Amino acid sequence: MELTIGQQALWFLYRMAPESTAYLITVALRVYDVLDLDRLCLATTAVMARHEVLRSVFDEVDGVPRRSAADLPPPLTVVELGPVDESALRAAAAQAARQPFDLGEGAFRVTLVCGGGGAVLLVTAHHIVSDAMSQWMILRDLLWAYEQDEPDWPVITRTFGDYVRHERELLASPRRERLEGYWRGVCEGAEPAGLPADRTRSATSFRGAAVTVVWPEDAGARLIDQARTLGVTPFAILVSGLQAALYRRGVSGDFLIGCPVSTRFAGRAREVVGCFANTVPLRARLNPGVTLGEAAAAAHRELVAATAHGEFPSALIRELAPRRGLPYQLAVNLLSMDAMDPPLPLAADGSIEGPATTYRGLRFAVLDLAQMEGQFDLMVDVRRAGALFTAVVKYDAALFDQLTIERFTRRLRQVVGSGPDSPIGGLPMVDESEVARLLAFGEA
């Protein structure tokens, strides 16, 4: 079977670094009930039968990557740790989630890590067969199949193969020229945004780390009210805050960052599991007199237009950029936890484990394990649950020190908390803690 353009790019990256974990997606649950392993195995089998793409194996024929649906056994692994404490259980779960795939043998697995009377359930896939929304659907279907022998799943009317054909038809249609024209206009004359690195770039490392920033719920409520007043989304305010923080760090006034959009709905594939994420460039045009409110309105327009033109594969947008390369090294993404099924609440303090919830007769909490780090120089992964906003700032550890990213996340939080009437040129170039250090240095 043919691959999408995005899958072809992921295959190329996999061949470059097959041991990398940068493109593994995991949903992790701390389970408080004892799971029946036979039922879990049957549920895994049922989910693979429902979603053919989860039975995929990949290879090349005459240099061309292809996907095949294989008759794979249920990829359920149970890891027994014995009498360990909670921290050891979490560490073992994180290690299990990071195990790379051999895509010639499969791209999906379910792992149950047990120890000390507790358990962590991991649903892991390679990005070549899944995306964030798909992972939640896989988890939902797995829990339904665990609860019911004949689960009342929503009907699937299309397959991922249908979406591959949809993309091929789009690229052969007159709409391709219009999409190319739009993205050429977005890229022309703009520079990829970047933070000053702590080390010289060498070969691609795919070695990442992350820092988390949390906006308390009262700050989140103010952000939502501000968005309503401006007629934009809260995400647009966060995007413009990131753009303003980059500008104040010395990025030129006309620059690009990346933002994943979903092509799922354009392909009428609401219930289909697969890789529907397409990271496209957003353009910012800033100067010192632009206010944060004006920047948020501009970011909102860019997001709406990017979504409307988001079917054009990002790998082809590269060819339209003036330098025929990746037009962004920094990206921002939104995951709305409220829109997911099951809804998994996040911890209000930014800790790894969220509050316990009950779904389909099981009691569990989400474990926010580190994942998908090192894809970009910097990736700001925003999660929203009600009025709680967190941002996991993932970065290339070969380029940046943790302290550099911590300083930038503090500045990002400070900028987002500024009022919409604040001119970008008046925003502080350093945060409060850096000011205190500079003053203390002057007194020494």
Side-chain angles (χ1 to χ4, degrees):
M1 286 177 274
E2 290 184 317
L3 307 186
T4 64
I5 301 296
Q7 284 181 308
Q8 291 175 17
L10 287 166
W11 173 257
F12 173 74
L13 293 169
Y14 166 75
R15 292 295 302 271
M16 283 179 59
E19 298 300 314
S20 170
T21 62
Y23 292 92
L24 304 188
I25 312 175
T26 295
V27 178
L29 302 182
R30 174 64 170 89
V31 182
Y32 297 105
D33 296 312
V34 177
L35 295 180
D36 183 313
L37 295 183
D38 290 336
R39 291 196 66 83
L40 186 59
C41 185
L42 290 173
T44 304
T45 302
V47 168
M48 293 183 70
R50 173 172 166 80
H51 299 291
E52 174 262 347
V53 74
L54 298 181
R55 305 194 302 276
S56 295
V57 294
F58 296 83
D59 62 1
E60 286 186 9
V61 177
D62 297 328
V64 178
R66 67 175 185 178
R67 178 176 73 88
S68 304
D71 184 16
L72 299 174
L76 172 63
T77 301
V78 179
V79 179
E80 292 282 0
L81 301 175
V84 298
D85 61 18
E86 191 71 20
S87 62
L89 176 64
R90 293 179 179 179
Q95 182 178 5
R98 288 193 297 265
Q99 295 303 306
F101 285 101
D102 178 345
L103 294 184
E105 297 182 356
F108 167 69
R109 63 173 177 256
V110 177
T111 310
L112 185 67
V113 182
C114 305
V120 176
L121 179 66
L122 305 168
V123 179
T124 306
H126 193 282
H127 198 13
I128 202 168
V129 299
S130 189
D131 57 21
M133 188 174 292
S134 293
Q135 285 300 104
W136 250 253
M137 288 197 297
I138 295 168
L139 176 64
R140 177 202 67 187
D141 290 352
L142 182 71
L143 296 178
W144 282 19
Y146 181 85
E147 181 198 37
Q148 303 173 0
D149 293 332
E150 297 183 5
D152 51 344
W153 287 321
V155 175
I156 299 177
T157 59
R158 287 179 170 261
T159 67
F160 191 76
D162 292 328
Y163 175 70
V164 176
R165 286 187 288 275
H166 167 79
E167 182 182 83
R168 292 284 185 267
E169 292 167 0
L170 170 72
L171 296 177
S173 72
R175 179 164 164 76
R176 173 174 184 158
E177 185 175 353
R178 296 193 294 273
L179 291 171
E180 284 182 341
Y182 173 78
W183 289 116
R184 187 178 288 109
V186 169
C187 295
E188 189 172 1
E191 297 288 333
L195 278 180
D198 297 306
R199 284 171 288 280
T200 303
R201 187 187 305 277
S202 55
T204 302
S205 71
F206 298 115
R207 181 169 62 86
V211 171
T212 299
V213 58
V214 179
W215 283 269
E217 291 193 77
D218 57 343
R222 289 194 299 272
L223 192 153
I224 293 169
D225 289 341
Q226 184 183 124
R228 188 178 299 114
T229 300
L230 294 172
V232 303
T233 63
F235 184 53
I237 293 179
L238 291 166
V239 170
S240 63
L242 172 62
Q243 292 169 334
L246 290 169
Y247 178 70
R248 293 299 286 164
R249 284 289 290 143
V251 175
S252 71
D254 192 352
F255 61 89
L256 301 170
I257 63 173
C259 182
V261 298
S262 177
T263 59
R264 174 183 305 277
F265 304 108
R268 299 193 298 278
R270 181 179 295 273
E271 288 293 325
V272 178
V273 165
C275 179
F276 295 96
N278 189 40
T279 303
V280 297
L282 300 178
R283 188 165 185 168
R285 296 176 175 89
L286 302 179
N287 63 63
V290 172
T291 67
L292 285 174
E294 292 167 340
H300 180 78
R301 291 192 296 270
E302 285 285 312
L303 287 163
V304 171
T307 302
H309 297 84
E311 288 183 88
F312 194 68
S314 60
L316 299 183
I317 296 176
R318 284 186 179 202
E319 300 176 8
L320 304 175
R323 295 179 178 83
R324 293 179 64 84
L326 190 65
Y328 45 79
Q329 289 292 348
L330 281 72
V332 60
N333 182 41
L334 172 68
L335 182 62
S336 179
M337 309 298 286
D338 297 330
M340 298 299 177
D341 183 16
L344 299 179
L346 299 173
D349 59 357
S351 60
I352 188 174
E353 184 171 335
T357 188
T358 300
Y359 181 86
R360 295 283 168 175
L362 290 177
R363 186 168 175 267
F364 52 76
V366 63
L367 282 185
D368 195 7
L369 299 181
Q371 58 182 299
M372 301 190 77
E373 300 165 346
Q375 293 184 16
F376 300 98
D377 289 2
L378 195 76
M379 175 66 157
V380 181
D381 196 2
V382 177
R383 291 96 180 269
R384 177 185 178 183
L388 176 66
F389 292 83
T390 66
V392 180
V393 183
K394 306 172 184 179
Y395 62 95
D396 187 337
L399 290 178
F400 299 104
D401 294 328
Q402 181 176 331
L403 180 60
T404 299
I405 304 303
E406 289 175 347
R407 289 173 176 169
F408 183 74
T409 57
R410 288 196 297 268
R411 188 173 295 111
L412 173 62
R413 179 172 171 174
Q414 185 179 17
V415 170
V416 171
S418 302
D421 296 329
S422 303
I424 290 175
L427 297 173
M429 298 185 68
V430 295
D431 63 33
E432 295 93 336
S433 62
E434 291 173 283
V435 171
R437 282 196 298 271
L438 289 171
L439 292 173
F441 178 77
E443 295 172 354

